[in-house]
Amino acid sequence: MLGAGGQLSGPFEGLDEVDQGRAIAAMLHLPDTISLPDPRPLVPAMVDISSRHPRLNVMNVEAAAAARLLGARVLLSPPTANGALAPVLDTEGLEWEQRDPTTT
């Protein structure tokens, strides 16, 4: 597996080579119902949120901006709900919910 096994990719390190391949293939072949937000409105929304929350990392800024543009509720894992993103979502008036990914 490529990469350093960080926060997001770390769980893949525990998988054998076959399961890593399956996981990567599943991400590369997402259903047509899953799409990416258009970056033209997303980037200005990210800049706007980042200007008020400059210590928030890019992924969290993107999540908040996408939630705003899509009118979506953000699902947070328990550790993430106790981190920097949840208070920003509250301040921005964005809906979020804590979910334990091991039980859903």
Side-chain angles (χ1 to χ4, degrees), residues 3-68:
Q7 182 84 14
L8 296 176
S9 63
F12 288 96
E13 285 187 325
L15 299 175
D16 62 44
E17 209 170 302
V18 171
D19 286 336
Q20 283 181 9
R22 285 185 188 142
I24 291 168
M27 289 186 291
L28 293 174
H29 300 287
L30 293 172
D32 290 339
T33 56
I34 296 176
S35 63
L36 297 172
D38 183 354
R40 291 193 185 271
L42 182 63
V43 171
M46 289 175 67
V47 170
D48 182 49
I49 289 171
S50 182
S51 70
R52 287 188 298 282
H53 309 282
R55 294 180 181 229
L56 204 60
N57 71 37
V58 173
M59 288 183 64
N60 285 338
V61 169
E62 183 178 18
R68 178 194 289 163

